[in-house]
Amino acid sequence: MGVRPTSDAVAEVMALAAGKRRSALVGYSLGGRVALTLACRHQGLLSCLVLEGASPGIEGDGERERRRASDEALADEIERRGVEWFVDSWQENPLFAAQKELPPQAFQSLRLDRLSNSAPGLAMSLRGSGTGEMAPLWSEMEGLRIPVLIVVGERDLK
């Protein structure tokens, strides 16, 4: 069963599309890349943009192809070994090391949320929306004329 938008959400999207209202857009990680793509191509719809832990993409063709191949291999592994394997290995990523400092109940809640994904869905996300797959937006960002706030964590080395 899909999520049905509320009438308020539908009205908001229609007002934005009609150009009657501009809205703030917030995106995290993959959602940040999607938000940045929208902002670069349709900034007239937006009053501002907030990006958290998002990347404008990989510029070099070789590096982007290596990432695409890495994402494809990971997608295959997720399909073969399952969501629990992926969540266990993903939580070991240095990017998420600070999450181990959370209270046990909060950490378990994050784990359960991640386990609610499906292997085919995760694999499809990597194949269709991974950093290697999405076009780099570095040059398009130069054309942004709306306020942009970029948020990164203290431990986010990227």
Side-chain angles (χ1 to χ4, degrees):
M1 181 173 174
V3 176
R4 300 191 62 144
T6 65
S7 59
D8 288 344
V10 171
E12 180 69 19
V13 169
M14 291 175 66
L16 287 169
K20 294 180 180 177
R21 186 174 326 143
R22 295 181 344 142
S23 185
L25 183 59
V26 178
Y28 166 71
S29 192
L30 169 58
R33 289 195 305 268
V34 172
L36 182 57
T37 301
L38 175 71
C40 287
R41 302 200 176 133
H42 304 284
Q43 68 179 299
L45 297 174
L46 304 176
S47 60
C48 65
L49 177 64
V50 179
L51 302 173
E52 181 182 352
S55 166
I58 301 170
E59 284 190 284
D61 292 339
E63 186 181 347
R64 200 168 50 256
E65 184 52 42
R66 284 188 292 280
R67 177 59 183 263
R68 190 178 295 125
S70 172
D71 286 348
E72 179 63 36
L74 180 56
D76 289 345
E77 194 74 8
I78 292 168
E79 289 173 329
R80 193 169 43 260
R81 298 179 77 178
V83 174
E84 190 166 357
W85 167 83
F86 174 70
V87 169
D88 288 343
S89 63
W90 193 252
Q91 288 179 166
E92 294 304 314
N93 186 323
L95 178 65
F96 301 114
Q99 290 182 0
K100 292 180 179 179
E101 298 170 17
L102 293 169
Q105 190 173 15
F107 184 78
Q108 185 62 17
S109 177
L110 284 171
R111 179 176 169 71
L112 290 174
D113 187 50
R114 290 176 178 138
L115 288 170
S116 71
N117 288 287
S118 71
L122 290 168
M124 182 174 57
S125 178
L126 281 166
R127 290 181 178 125
S129 305
T131 305
E133 188 64 35
M134 296 180 80
L137 299 168
W138 293 94
S139 61
E140 289 185 56
M141 287 175 26
E142 294 174 11
L144 288 175
R145 299 294 176 249
I146 57 174
V148 178
L149 174 64
I150 298 173
V151 180
V152 295
E154 176 181 322
R155 299 179 188 179
D156 187 347
L157 301 177
K158 286 187 178 183

